[in-house]
Amino acid sequence: MMVLVGVVSVQVGAAFAKQLFSVAGASGVVLLRLVFAALILLAVFRPSLKLDWPTLRVVAGYGLVLAGMNMCIYQAFERIPLGAAVTIEFLGPLTVALFGSHRKLDVVWALLAGTGVFLLSRVEGGLDWVGVAFALAAGACWAGYILLGAKLGSRTTGTSGLALAMAFGALVALPVGAFDSGPALLSPTVLIIGLVVALMSSVVPYTLELEALRRMPARVFGILMSTEPAVAALAGLVVLGELLTGWQWLAICCVVIASVGSVATTRTTSESSDPPAN
């Protein structure tokens, strides 16, 4: 439930963020999202700055992939439809799921989700290749986010590590966002929408996903995140009016079945391996 709520929040937030690109630019929206998210998390959780060197490296690496993932995918959103961008980006976590699998059944769910990714990417008229490249780069960062997120969860308590990583990511995005958008970032309307985007796209989903990674293997998390392309396509349809083709609806079915199947089989395996109650 943590993962699925996070997925819906981040994709609806992305749809609202895309509407702000014409005013503040993609990099500017990323900067607002990370700055507001960092300020909220730091104020709420007040993390300690006393970190050993290995933990500091994990926090910095996590913040770097957060900034890179957000900057790349927002550049992709600016050039190609929301659903197509997230579909291509999903190749990152799908790779994590495939390489982390130890059971044949896990590979079946991952391949079914991959089929959905392929079908969902069938957009009439072709795609802007620069947008595709940015989406692929975002996928690589997403894979790093999953792997480093598990390490961050094991080395820090609560969401203190996430708060520090978000602050580091904001510093990484600062020069690019400020140069791209300039004074437009100081508009009251832009600031308010940026705060909403930060809550929906960063604070809520990243907090939930970090807690989820403490409770499940990275490979299972990667398969569950296969709902991202479907939710992104639906958010694009409802918020932005980006229509879906018949092939894309079929893709949604594939992705949902893969996600439900992975959850059901994981629960069955877990329950069957538990010792009987006294």
Side-chain angles (χ1 to χ4, degrees), residues 54-228:
T55 302
L56 183 60
R57 285 189 302 176
V58 174
V59 169
Y62 193 74
L64 184 62
V65 296
L66 274 179
M69 180 172 63
N70 284 292
M71 287 190 289
C72 289
I73 196 58
Y74 274 37
Q75 290 294 330
F77 288 162
E78 196 170 35
R79 293 166 173 83
I80 59 179
L82 194 71
V86 176
T87 295
I88 298 168
E89 184 192 23
F90 179 69
L91 293 176
L94 180 60
T95 300
V96 173
L98 285 171
F99 277 96
S101 174
H102 298 288
R103 300 184 307 162
K104 293 182 179 179
L105 191 56
D106 293 326
V107 176
V108 171
W109 301 130
L111 290 177
L112 183 58
T115 302
V117 168
F118 172 76
L119 294 175
L120 196 59
S121 65
R122 293 173 60 93
V123 179
E124 294 182 4
L127 296 175
D128 181 292
W129 284 104
V130 176
V132 171
F134 274 118
L136 287 171
C141 292
W142 195 354
Y145 160 74
I146 293 173
L147 299 175
L148 285 174
K151 292 184 178 180
L152 185 71
S154 65
R155 301 197 68 91
T156 60
T157 58
T159 56
S160 60
L162 174 62
L164 294 173
M166 193 72 70
F168 184 83
L171 291 175
V172 171
L174 178 60
V176 179
F179 178 80
D180 184 39
S181 302
L185 293 176
L186 301 179
S187 166
T189 301
V190 171
L191 289 173
I192 292 172
I193 299 176
L195 175 60
V196 174
V197 170
L199 289 169
M200 295 187 66
S201 297
S202 292
V203 176
V204 171
Y206 291 157
T207 301
L208 291 176
E209 289 169 9
L210 185 60
E211 289 301 316
L213 278 167
R214 289 191 172 100
R215 293 166 168 80
M216 65 174 64
R219 62 181 179 84
V220 178
F221 179 87
I223 297 174
L224 285 174
M225 294 292 282
S226 63
T227 56
E228 289 270 11

Side-chain angles (χ1 to χ4, degrees), residues 229-249:
V231 176
L234 290 172
L237 172 65
V238 174
V239 180
L240 302 173
E242 295 175 345
L243 299 177
L244 298 170
T245 66
W247 285 108
Q248 290 169 329
W249 282 114

Side-chain angles (χ1 to χ4, degrees), residues 15-26:
F16 283 113
K18 187 170 181 176
Q19 294 179 317
L20 199 59
F21 288 174
S22 60
V23 179

